[in-house]
Short mmCIF file of all heavy atoms in Angstrom, two decimals:
data_model
loop_
_atom_site.label_atom_id
_atom_site.label_comp_id
_atom_site.label_asym_id
_atom_site.label_seq_id
_atom_site.Cartn_x
_atom_site.Cartn_y
_atom_site.Cartn_z
N ILE A 100 104.09 62.95 -25.09
CA ILE A 100 103.96 61.55 -24.82
C ILE A 100 103.85 61.37 -23.31
O ILE A 100 104.68 61.92 -22.54
CB ILE A 100 105.09 60.71 -25.40
CG1 ILE A 100 104.92 59.19 -25.10
CG2 ILE A 100 106.46 61.19 -24.88
CD1 ILE A 100 105.84 58.31 -25.87
N VAL A 101 102.81 60.67 -22.83
CA VAL A 101 102.59 60.48 -21.44
C VAL A 101 102.17 59.05 -21.15
O VAL A 101 101.26 58.58 -21.91
CB VAL A 101 101.57 61.43 -20.82
CG1 VAL A 101 101.30 61.17 -19.37
CG2 VAL A 101 102.05 62.88 -20.96
N ILE A 102 102.76 58.41 -20.24
CA ILE A 102 102.34 57.11 -19.71
C ILE A 102 101.87 57.37 -18.30
O ILE A 102 102.49 58.06 -17.54
CB ILE A 102 103.50 56.09 -19.72
CG1 ILE A 102 104.01 55.87 -21.17
CG2 ILE A 102 103.02 54.76 -19.08
CD1 ILE A 102 102.98 55.25 -22.12
N ALA A 103 100.76 56.74 -17.90
CA ALA A 103 100.28 56.88 -16.54
C ALA A 103 101.38 56.52 -15.57
O ALA A 103 102.15 55.54 -15.81
CB ALA A 103 99.07 55.96 -16.30
N GLU A 104 101.45 57.34 -14.52
CA GLU A 104 102.61 57.20 -13.59
C GLU A 104 102.80 55.81 -13.04
O GLU A 104 103.87 55.30 -12.95
CB GLU A 104 102.48 58.20 -12.51
CG GLU A 104 103.73 58.30 -11.61
CD GLU A 104 103.63 59.50 -10.67
OE1 GLU A 104 102.58 60.15 -10.46
OE2 GLU A 104 104.73 59.78 -10.04
N ASP A 105 101.68 55.15 -12.71
CA ASP A 105 101.72 53.77 -12.12
C ASP A 105 102.09 52.69 -13.14
O ASP A 105 102.28 51.57 -12.76
CB ASP A 105 100.47 53.45 -11.37
CG ASP A 105 99.29 53.39 -12.28
OD1 ASP A 105 99.12 54.24 -13.24
OD2 ASP A 105 98.41 52.49 -12.14
N LEU A 106 102.13 53.07 -14.38
CA LEU A 106 102.46 52.11 -15.44
C LEU A 106 103.77 52.32 -16.14
O LEU A 106 104.13 51.67 -17.11
CB LEU A 106 101.34 52.06 -16.51
CG LEU A 106 99.98 51.67 -15.95
CD1 LEU A 106 98.88 51.83 -17.03
CD2 LEU A 106 99.99 50.23 -15.48
N ARG A 107 104.55 53.30 -15.65
CA ARG A 107 105.85 53.54 -16.27
C ARG A 107 106.86 52.51 -16.01
O ARG A 107 106.72 51.62 -15.14
CB ARG A 107 106.40 54.88 -15.80
CG ARG A 107 105.54 56.07 -16.26
CD ARG A 107 106.02 57.40 -15.82
NE ARG A 107 105.07 58.42 -16.27
CZ ARG A 107 104.92 59.57 -15.69
NH1 ARG A 107 105.81 59.96 -14.77
NH2 ARG A 107 104.02 60.40 -16.07
N HIS A 108 107.97 52.46 -16.83
CA HIS A 108 109.08 51.46 -16.71
C HIS A 108 108.58 50.05 -17.03
O HIS A 108 109.09 49.09 -16.51
CB HIS A 108 109.65 51.57 -15.29
CG HIS A 108 110.04 52.97 -14.95
ND1 HIS A 108 111.06 53.65 -15.61
CD2 HIS A 108 109.53 53.79 -14.04
CE1 HIS A 108 111.12 54.84 -15.10
NE2 HIS A 108 110.22 54.97 -14.14
N ARG A 109 107.60 49.94 -17.96
CA ARG A 109 107.15 48.63 -18.43
C ARG A 109 107.28 48.47 -19.95
O ARG A 109 106.80 47.57 -20.55
CB ARG A 109 105.69 48.43 -18.06
CG ARG A 109 105.39 48.39 -16.57
CD ARG A 109 103.97 48.22 -16.29
NE ARG A 109 103.66 48.29 -14.85
CZ ARG A 109 102.59 47.93 -14.30
NH1 ARG A 109 101.63 47.37 -15.05
NH2 ARG A 109 102.41 48.04 -13.02
N GLY A 110 107.94 49.47 -20.50
CA GLY A 110 108.14 49.44 -21.99
C GLY A 110 106.98 50.00 -22.79
O GLY A 110 106.98 49.88 -24.02
N LEU A 111 105.98 50.56 -22.17
CA LEU A 111 104.81 51.07 -22.86
C LEU A 111 105.14 52.22 -23.76
O LEU A 111 104.65 52.33 -24.91
CB LEU A 111 103.68 51.39 -21.88
CG LEU A 111 103.17 50.24 -21.07
CD1 LEU A 111 102.15 50.71 -20.06
CD2 LEU A 111 102.58 49.11 -21.91
N ALA A 112 105.97 53.14 -23.25
CA ALA A 112 106.35 54.29 -24.09
C ALA A 112 107.13 53.81 -25.31
O ALA A 112 107.01 54.40 -26.40
CB ALA A 112 107.16 55.31 -23.28
N ARG A 113 107.94 52.78 -25.12
CA ARG A 113 108.73 52.25 -26.25
C ARG A 113 107.77 51.79 -27.37
O ARG A 113 108.01 52.06 -28.54
CB ARG A 113 109.59 51.08 -25.75
CG ARG A 113 110.44 50.45 -26.95
CD ARG A 113 111.15 49.25 -26.54
NE ARG A 113 110.17 48.17 -26.36
CZ ARG A 113 110.15 47.44 -25.26
NH1 ARG A 113 110.96 47.67 -24.22
NH2 ARG A 113 109.25 46.46 -25.10
#
Side-chain angles (χ1 to χ4, degrees):
I100 182 170
V101 175
I102 299 296
E104 190 170 11
D105 64 319
L106 296 173
R107 293 183 187 157
H108 309 292
R109 297 180 184 194
L111 299 175
R113 181 186 70 233

